[in-house]
Amino acid sequence: MPIFHLEVKTLRCPTLWQLISKFYYSTSIKDTHPIYLLPETDPTMIPFLSDFHIVPDIREFRIPSLKSGGKKRRPELVGDIHAVYTLQEAARINSHQSYIQESITKKLLGFLDNLKTPSPKLILDIGCGTGLSTMSAAENGHQVVGIDINMPMVLVANSKSSSSCDYFITDCRLPIPIRHGIFDGVVSVSFLHWLTKSDDSFRTLRTFFSSVSNCLKPSGCFIAQFYPKDPEEVIQIVNAASDIFVGVLLACRPCVERGLKLFLVLLKPNKKKFTN
Ligand SMILES: C[S@@+](CC[C@H](N)C(=O)[O-])C[C@H]1O[C@@H](n2cnc3c(N)ncnc32)[C@H](O)[C@@H]1O
């Protein structure tokens, strides 16, 4: 088996490797991607820490800044949410995107399982869109509530989902209208970067993280994957999260043939850090 570890690390094309090797998924490849500990985080709370390379500074993630061409392809940078996600657009979201979102959701649920109580769990999916992440979590045995600001997205999600999923429409820049302390886990896939659009984005983020913390049980955790436009945005998100949570920022590759993705794995601290 060690020989496969060596070959995966040296092979330039992971897609080719995936095609030729029936062993790809059965090898436990050590992930040497970076991980950053938020202030006051007790390393013993993070069981997968040793799979990563600890960095003392977020800039060591070497997150690239988006160029103008890249910005044009990013819905959150193009325009108003309701203009971007029309009913037509919501219905168009295709099976390729579904594969990527499912891989990210599985990775995210893997972290969740690693951290706490056994399945099934009650999970809140923030920025659920057409429910790709919500349905994927439900297929893994969880009871899931998806929330989103956009009516067309939620309509599509609701039309496709099983009875393990429920949805409602709400703007997560405002406190989330949910009873406190009931969710085992909160997840969000490709959503957090939508909160950094306003001039007052740090305050929006802080309100958001505080609200998420309120929804969680004391033992609960929040795991989010997001696409930053530059390193400054990541630092802003991590700083806002650090006011409320402990945890880690990490980079990993949930789909073999796609690039590294950023994840925040956040836990409630024993002692409250900040109250909104
Ligand atoms: C890229 S989609 C992700 C969809 C879904 N998580 C998935 O994996 O398929 C981002 C979603 O965030 C939602 N969103 C953006 N701003 C929001 C806000 N302020 N409150 C709630 N949802 C929001 C959008 O409507 C959109 O459905």
Side-chain angles (χ1 to χ4, degrees):
M1 277 306 176
I3 190 151
F4 290 110
H5 290 205
L6 189 70
E7 285 181 18
V8 169
K9 286 211 184 323
T10 54
L11 201 81
R12 293 222 191 93
C13 175
T15 317
L16 178 63
W17 175 253
Q18 187 189 10
L19 278 175
I20 62 170
S21 172
K22 63 177 180 176
F23 295 109
Y24 189 84
Y25 290 110
S26 62
T27 53
S28 61
I29 306 148
K30 266 251 169 204
D31 204 339
T32 52
H33 297 308
I35 194 164
Y36 168 82
L37 270 75
L38 271 60
E40 295 172 45
T41 303
D42 172 0
T44 61
M45 293 168 89
I46 315 293
F48 45 82
L49 200 60
S50 61
D51 294 345
F52 293 84
H53 163 59
I54 301 176
V55 294
D57 187 333
I58 293 171
R59 292 194 186 271
E60 289 190 34
F61 278 69
R62 301 186 193 288
I63 296 149
S65 296
L66 273 187
K67 305 216 166 63
S68 53
K71 285 185 182 163
K72 283 186 199 139
R73 288 194 295 275
R74 292 285 292 271
E76 74 281 8
L77 302 176
V78 172
D80 175 72
I81 181 94
H82 300 290
V84 173
Y85 290 130
T86 58
L87 195 51
Q88 260 172 328
E89 177 60 21
R92 203 187 59 82
I93 291 180
N94 59 32
S95 56
H96 180 58
Q97 268 162 301
S98 133
Y99 164 67
I100 299 165
Q101 301 310 95
E102 276 165 20
S103 311
I104 295 172
T105 310
K106 279 196 187 116
K107 189 83 194 170
L108 211 132
L109 294 171
F111 288 130
L112 193 69
D113 280 344
N114 228 304
L115 285 164
K116 296 278 154 159
T117 49
S119 301
K121 299 181 175 76
L122 181 61
I123 291 183
L124 179 67
D125 179 13
I126 299 183
C128 63
T130 56
L132 297 174
S133 44
T134 326
M135 287 183 274
S136 176
E139 277 159 21
N140 282 273
H142 304 293
Q143 198 65 42
V144 198
V145 178
I147 59 176
D148 201 286
I149 195 174
N150 186 276
M151 167 91 84
M153 296 293 247
V154 172
L155 284 177
V156 171
N158 200 39
S159 70
K160 293 196 285 189
S161 292
S162 71
S163 59
S164 306
C165 306
D166 261 309
Y167 297 95
F168 71 88
I169 295 167
T170 191
D171 181 351
C172 296
R173 287 169 296 187
L174 306 170
I176 301 167
I178 280 181
R179 195 145 59 89
H180 287 188
I182 56 168
F183 284 94
D184 299 296
V186 176
V187 298
S188 87
V189 177
S190 315
F191 158 76
L192 263 186
H193 45 270
W194 282 91
L195 298 182
T196 57
K197 281 165 66 104
S198 72
D199 293 341
D200 204 7
S201 53
F202 189 76
R203 200 188 150 120
T204 307
L205 284 164
R206 250 183 8 185
T207 304
F208 171 74
F209 285 118
S210 172
S211 183
V212 171
S213 170
N214 288 338
C215 296
L216 283 167
K217 287 180 181 170
S219 62
C221 53
F222 173 36
I223 308 186
Q225 172 273 330
F226 63 104
Y227 293 109
K229 62 178 181 308
D230 52 37
E232 286 68 36
E233 188 180 16
V234 182
I235 291 168
Q236 188 187 47
I237 290 175
V238 172
N239 283 344
S242 302
D243 275 350
I244 317 288
F245 289 103
V246 292
V248 292
L249 171 76
L250 61 88
C252 67
R253 197 184 294 274
C255 329
V256 198
E257 62 276 67
R258 307 289 291 201
L260 280 181
K261 309 241 179 292
L262 282 181
F263 289 78
L264 264 176
V265 178
L266 302 174
L267 305 156
K268 288 181 127 183
N270 295 331
K271 207 169 73 202
K272 215 167 193 168
K273 285 185 155 187
F274 165 85
T275 317
N276 220 5

